[in-house]
């Protein structure tokens, strides 16, 4: 009888071992990982999930902007430009144009080269847009790096931009936003990243309600008047970033709207 009981127990033990051998056991990291949900970014494209960039130069610029927004001048700023390298380069290629057109209006530049929607979202929550920064107008253009570096879809880029608009509305509900069409890039209309930008623009223009968010597409001002929609290196020196002449055209096209919305 004892032998029969022992045999039964041995059979049960073998069955348990066999079951474990065919079952995937979570690793320790998996076991302690937080539950995934919408708030943590589950089921959202990475374009919507705040994330910093690892490059040292990017973090140095981020810290520089944290100091900039803490100054008395920043607290009085009526206009904030948000974006990537195209925005940051107002401080270099567009420096003289900025000094003539936007500095007198009380504008500050919070652009960082290489930014994508997710890195801008992260900055908005990590010091680059503190609670006491309360401009009348934000000039926003972002997304070309999602197309060129991430190869994100237009739909995902648009969702990232919508997340930025929602974030600003939450913290600064009275601040107006001038949402600019993502600029053209590449030699002509056949450029893959330009096509992505154009498809994204067709989506995000619908975010404008002309009460808080205003849409402005100035892209034709940069393109040659030919069937290929050529982008000249005299306007965008590397077919992505504006020259001083490009910044002059940018300022000319948006200045009336900026003045209107920032008063």
């Amino acid at each position: 009888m004892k032998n029969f009981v022992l045999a039964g127990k041995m059979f049960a033990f073998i069955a348990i071992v066999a079951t474990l051998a065919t079952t995937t056991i979570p690793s320790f990291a998996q076991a302690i990982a937080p539950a995934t949900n919408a708030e943590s970014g589950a089921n959202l494209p990475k374009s919507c999930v705040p994330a910093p960039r690892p490059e040292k130069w990017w973090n140095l610029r981020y810290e520089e902007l944290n100091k900039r927004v803490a100054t008395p001048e920043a607290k009085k700023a009526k206009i904030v430009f948000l974006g990537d390298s195209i925005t940051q380069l107002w401080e270099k290629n567009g420096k003289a144009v900025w000094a003539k057109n936007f500095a007198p209006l009380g504008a500050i530049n919070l652009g960082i080269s290489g930014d994508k929607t997710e890195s801008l979202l992260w900055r908005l929550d990590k010091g680059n847009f503190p609670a006491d920064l309360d401009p009348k107008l934000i000039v926003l253009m972002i997304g070309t790096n999602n197309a060129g570096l991430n190869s994100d879809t237009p739909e995902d880029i648009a969702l990232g931009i919508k997340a930025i608009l929602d974030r600003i509305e939450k913290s600064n509900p009275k601040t107006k936003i001038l949402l600019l069409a993502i600029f053209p890039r590449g030699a002509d209309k056949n450029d893959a990243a330009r096509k992505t930008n154009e498809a994204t623009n067709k989506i995000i223009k619908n975010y404008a309600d002309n009460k808080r968010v205003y849409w402005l597409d100035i892209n034709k001002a940069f393109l040659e008047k030919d069937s290929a929609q050529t982008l000249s290196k005299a306007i965008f020196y590397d077919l992505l970033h504006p020259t001083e002449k490009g910044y002059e055209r940018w300022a000319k096209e948006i200045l009336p709207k900026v003045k209107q919305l920032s008063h």
Side-chain angles (χ1 to χ4, degrees):
M1 183 67 178
K2 289 182 179 180
N3 290 339
F4 179 79
V5 172
L6 287 172
K9 291 182 177 180
M10 181 61 70
F11 179 81
F13 175 76
I14 293 172
I16 292 172
V17 171
T19 300
L20 290 174
T22 59
T23 301
T24 301
I25 302 176
S27 66
F28 177 73
Q30 290 172 323
I32 63 173
T36 56
N37 52 45
E39 187 175 357
S40 66
N43 301 319
L44 291 175
K46 60 185 177 181
S47 59
C48 298
V49 182
R53 296 193 67 190
E55 298 93 336
K56 182 178 180 180
W57 58 262
W58 186 91
N59 283 276
L60 288 174
R61 172 71 175 180
Y62 155 70
E63 292 293 347
E64 176 190 339
L65 294 186
N66 275 352
K67 294 177 181 178
R68 181 176 298 181
V69 296
T71 62
E73 292 78 15
K75 306 305 180 189
K76 301 175 185 177
K78 293 182 179 180
I79 305 164
V80 172
F81 279 66
L82 286 176
D84 46 43
S85 56
I86 298 173
T87 297
Q88 181 177 346
L89 285 175
W90 275 113
E91 298 172 10
K92 186 179 179 181
N93 300 350
K95 187 174 182 178
V97 184
W98 178 276
K100 178 182 178 181
N101 295 280
F102 300 113
L105 300 179
I108 60 172
N109 184 342
L110 299 183
I112 297 189
S113 180
D115 255 5
K116 294 169 279 189
T117 55
E118 57 264 37
S119 44
L120 178 52
L121 275 169
W122 189 87
R123 289 201 288 122
L124 292 175
D125 284 328
K126 300 296 181 178
N128 275 189
F129 212 96
D132 56 357
L133 195 65
D134 193 25
K136 291 187 176 182
L137 177 67
I138 292 172
V139 180
L140 172 65
M141 183 176 61
I142 193 75
T144 198
N145 289 322
N146 291 79
L149 298 178
N150 279 11
S151 297
D152 290 342
T153 66
E155 292 77 15
D156 285 354
I157 300 172
L159 285 173
I161 294 171
K162 183 62 165 61
I164 292 169
L165 296 176
D166 291 345
R167 162 61 178 78
I168 295 171
E169 181 180 19
K170 183 178 180 180
S171 63
N172 299 75
K174 295 181 180 180
T175 297
K176 295 177 182 177
I177 300 171
L178 181 59
L179 178 61
L180 298 180
I182 305 170
F183 284 175
R185 59 182 295 167
D188 56 38
K189 64 182 181 181
N190 296 312
D191 181 84
R194 188 194 293 195
K195 289 181 178 179
T196 299
N197 286 353
E198 290 176 349
T200 303
N201 288 337
K202 290 180 180 179
I203 300 172
I204 65 175
K205 69 179 182 181
N206 296 304
Y207 298 157
D209 58 9
N210 294 321
K211 295 179 181 177
R212 190 182 68 88
V213 180
Y214 297 79
W215 170 254
L216 187 58
D217 184 348
I218 65 170
N219 289 358
K220 288 183 179 180
F222 301 120
L223 301 173
E224 300 297 310
K225 294 179 173 58
D226 58 15
S227 59
Q229 298 178 1
T230 304
L231 186 62
S232 169
K233 289 189 176 182
I235 305 301
F236 281 36
Y237 67 90
D238 59 354
L239 303 181
L240 177 61
H241 300 95
T243 60
E244 182 175 14
K245 190 174 182 179
Y247 281 99
E248 288 173 352
R249 293 191 183 184
W250 185 356
K252 179 182 178 181
E253 293 294 326
I254 72 169
L255 193 56
K257 197 70 174 178
V258 167
K259 288 181 176 179
Q260 174 192 343
L261 296 177
S262 60
H263 282 84

